[in-house]
Amino acid sequence: MEDGEEQKQRHDDASSCPANITHVIFDMDGLLLDTEKFYTVSQEKILSNYGKTFDWSLKAKMMGKKALDAGQIFVKETGLEGILSAEEFIKQREAILHDLFPWSELMPGVERLVLHLHACRVPMAIATSSHRRHFDLKTLKHQELLSHMHHVVVGDDPAVKHGKPAPDIFLAAAQQFQDPNLKPHQILVFEDAPTGVEAARAADMHVVMVPDENLDKTLCKRADQVLSSLLDFKPSDWGLRPF
Ligand SMILES: O=P(O)(O)OC[C@@H](O)CO
Ligand SMILES: [Mg+2]
């Protein structure tokens, strides 16, 4: 088993070479789908009931995480421990989100990118911390486009023991391509959240980050490439056929 320093060196070596990407893994919330705004408004609403305001420094810590992990951060960081449990927070949030998710829209550039990679026969997957029931609600309107994914790994998949920033979800997604020759450095991950970028790096994969404009720029330093929109993505930067 290699140690952390060797892993880092291998990643740095891969980063400095022209990348030869063969497979792609997409995050979903805030990357493929414009759903992070739903989490933001629901969390603002819950917090306002306690006379407090939600801000982007707290958002940055919660985004990309499994529901319970995010809930625990929420009650701790807002000083609501002993007043609101993580479980009750999730219950209140779910009541709001349930009606919003079926309205989920694609982020700019998603359709062009997915169709292009499909035409280029690049195998694609989704790795989302969202659980299955929410995944189904969010993707109701996008079944056709997402049918181009080889597979989807959701946050409540038993293979995902530890949520992002642990590498579990990306390693599980890589394994499900069922290609014994596939190496992590051949995989390009697209993420919007700092915890997701950390998870991809921990899995030794390349990562393009497309952060929300409100996210603190210092939280974007760990990505191999940072874009303001998927519309700015250049496949040739990663050894893929241009649009
Ligand atoms: O992993 P993603 O798809 O961003 O899901 C996270 C979401 O459930 C909350 O931020
Ligand atoms: Mg995300």
Side-chain angles (χ1 to χ4, degrees):
M1 177 109 166
E2 63 188 350
D3 64 22
E5 195 46 46
E6 281 172 323
Q7 262 190 348
K8 184 177 173 301
Q9 186 59 49
R10 190 145 60 87
H11 186 93
D12 290 349
D13 289 349
S15 300
S16 57
C17 294
N20 192 13
I21 295 301
T22 58
H23 292 62
V24 162
I25 302 176
F26 292 107
D27 171 64
M28 186 173 73
D29 291 290
L31 189 286
L32 288 178
L33 298 180
D34 190 8
T35 40
E36 277 298 339
K37 63 183 180 192
F38 298 150
Y39 288 97
T40 302
V41 294
S42 61
Q43 287 154 191
E44 280 171 348
K45 193 162 186 292
I46 294 167
L47 208 45
S48 71
N49 294 337
Y50 297 92
K52 295 173 186 273
T53 47
F54 186 70
D55 65 30
W56 264 86
S57 65
L58 175 55
K59 171 85 182 165
K61 291 176 187 160
M62 295 175 68
M63 65 194 302
K65 295 210 169 244
K66 290 199 209 190
L68 191 58
D69 294 344
Q72 283 162 349
I73 292 169
F74 183 88
V75 296
K76 185 159 181 265
E77 298 278 328
T78 55
L80 290 175
E81 268 176 325
I83 300 167
L84 176 71
S85 68
E87 290 78 6
E88 179 58 24
F89 161 76
I90 292 165
K91 209 170 135 194
Q92 290 184 20
R93 193 177 71 166
E94 295 239 351
I96 304 168
L97 292 175
H98 190 268
D99 293 337
L100 297 173
F101 283 153
W103 300 95
S104 302
E105 299 291 348
L106 296 176
M107 293 293 282
V110 167
E111 187 169 21
R112 177 181 69 154
L113 178 57
V114 170
L115 292 178
H116 176 73
L117 294 175
H118 176 64
C120 297
R121 298 181 185 279
V122 174
M124 296 172 275
I126 293 176
T128 175
S129 300
S130 209
H131 54 70
R132 172 63 63 183
R133 193 165 42 79
H134 279 178
F135 175 87
D136 291 344
L137 282 175
K138 290 168 184 173
T139 56
L140 272 175
K141 290 199 294 178
H142 309 291
Q143 307 269 329
E144 194 180 333
L145 188 68
L146 299 189
S147 71
H148 298 312
M149 297 295 152
H150 182 271
H151 58 274
V152 174
V153 182
V154 289
D156 52 345
D157 185 309
V160 185
K161 292 213 169 38
H162 305 285
K164 301 171 186 177
D168 303 26
I169 196 163
F170 290 120
L171 296 174
Q175 200 168 33
Q176 288 183 34
F177 282 119
Q178 294 185 319
D179 178 346
N181 299 316
L182 179 61
K183 301 282 183 291
H185 68 263
Q186 292 171 248
I187 300 174
L188 184 58
V189 171
F190 288 87
E191 258 290 352
D192 68 309
T195 52
V197 170
E198 287 303 329
R201 289 212 55 164
D204 214 15
M205 298 171 188
H206 291 276
V207 56
V208 171
M209 186 180 197
V210 190
D212 187 284
E213 60 183 5
N214 293 298
L215 190 72
D216 182 346
K217 302 287 173 286
T218 62
L219 299 174
C220 303
K221 288 184 178 159
R222 298 267 297 154
D224 292 303
Q225 187 174 59
V226 182
L227 303 175
S228 344
S229 162
L230 281 179
L231 291 168
D232 298 333
F233 178 70
K234 289 196 179 62
S236 56
D237 287 351
W238 299 95
L240 297 164
R241 196 200 306 160
F243 288 118

